[in-house]
Amino acid sequence: RPKTVNGFGIAGICLIRLKHMRPKLFPSFIGTGSENAAHRVAVEWDTDGITQNGVYIPRRDTSSFLNTLAGDRLFPGGYNLARFDVRESESRYHISMDSLDGSTQLTVDGQTTEHLPDDSIFDTVAECSRFFEEGSIGYSPAKLNSRFDGLELRTVNWRVQPLKVTNVRSSFFDDRDAFPSGAVAFDNALLMEDIEHEWHSTGQLCCIGD
């Protein structure tokens, strides 16, 4: 079910540059790098009477052909191949993505700042950061339609900085069949850099009655 803040559901796009990705204990020089995008919705569910927090990920895109081969095979979650254009300066960032299947495009331009937008539903950066840190487990559709593959992000040094967005466009959220006019509004963006982390499978989640 959706996890809400002040009555609003939270959805977004996690844009991730991965570096030196490899199995644990392997040397970094054999690792691979890629640009990635994950469309995600904050959710919660109950396990043995305890409420759990995480995200539902309906779609992942990547610049890496290797990721598309390994997804749903060596690690949970499928990937779609996409072209990425990423440009960075000292404080400004541009990211655009076009999926090769033609279904998903996005563009984000922004620069670092110290504050969230005045109209954000989050009162402070710390509150916003905590909300997203609690959503470290992501579930995406498995090959079996009634099940979901889980992947957990474990970070060593979680830290965020607000990003003042000057331009944002997403074909996913612009789809009026899925999101009627006025149903979606941009809230904020956060930047994370040089985060040491690991990815761990959390197994599968299945629906009631499966």
Side-chain angles (χ1 to χ4, degrees):
R1 59 184 179 269
K3 181 179 181 180
T4 61
V5 176
N6 298 326
F8 293 94
I10 307 295
I13 308 168
C14 189
L15 298 167
I16 313 168
R17 171 177 291 168
L18 297 176
K19 294 182 178 180
H20 310 302
M21 292 296 294
R22 75 264 184 204
K24 192 174 182 178
L25 303 181
F26 279 52
S28 61
F29 70 83
I30 70 167
T32 63
S34 59
E35 302 288 347
N36 305 270
H39 288 76
R40 37 188 274 167
V41 181
V43 295
E44 59 184 18
W45 65 96
D46 297 325
T47 301
D48 298 327
I50 300 175
T51 299
Q52 310 289 334
N53 297 297
V55 292
Y56 171 64
I57 304 173
R59 182 180 177 95
R60 288 187 175 97
D61 291 273
T62 181
S63 65
S64 169
F65 182 67
L66 179 62
N67 286 357
T68 65
L69 292 178
D72 274 337
R73 295 178 178 87
L74 299 181
F75 53 81
Y79 285 80
N80 302 281
L81 199 59
R83 290 183 292 267
F84 286 77
D85 176 27
V86 181
R87 284 169 270 159
E88 303 176 13
S89 65
E90 184 175 349
S91 62
R92 295 180 180 272
Y93 299 83
H94 166 85
I95 303 173
S96 62
M97 184 203 81
D98 290 282
S99 65
L100 267 61
D101 64 10
S103 67
T104 306
Q105 301 83 38
L106 64 87
T107 302
V108 178
D109 292 282
Q111 61 189 69
T112 53
T113 183
E114 297 299 325
H115 307 286
L116 296 174
D118 292 337
D119 58 354
S120 173
I121 62 171
F122 295 97
D123 293 329
T124 64
V125 174
E127 178 191 356
C128 186
S129 174
R130 184 167 56 252
F131 178 88
F132 289 106
E133 187 175 11
E134 291 175 350
S136 60
I137 298 177
Y139 283 97
S140 55
K143 289 183 178 180
L144 294 175
N145 292 334
S146 61
R147 293 179 178 269
F148 303 91
D149 287 327
L151 194 63
E152 180 184 7
L153 170 65
R154 299 180 188 176
T155 60
V156 176
N157 51 334
W158 179 278
R159 60 178 181 273
V160 304
Q161 181 176 6
L163 197 68
K164 180 181 178 181
V165 171
T166 56
N167 175 47
V168 59
R169 181 183 65 86
S170 164
S171 61
F172 186 88
F173 293 113
D174 288 342
D175 181 357
R176 291 297 166 252
D177 290 332
F179 302 99
S181 180
V184 178
F186 175 77
D187 188 89
N188 74 84
L190 298 176
L191 175 69
M192 302 179 70
E193 293 183 298
D194 300 322
I195 304 299
E196 186 179 350
H197 65 279
E198 297 177 351
W199 299 93
H200 293 260
S201 172
T202 61
Q204 287 190 328
L205 191 70
C206 67
C207 61
I208 296 174
D210 180 55

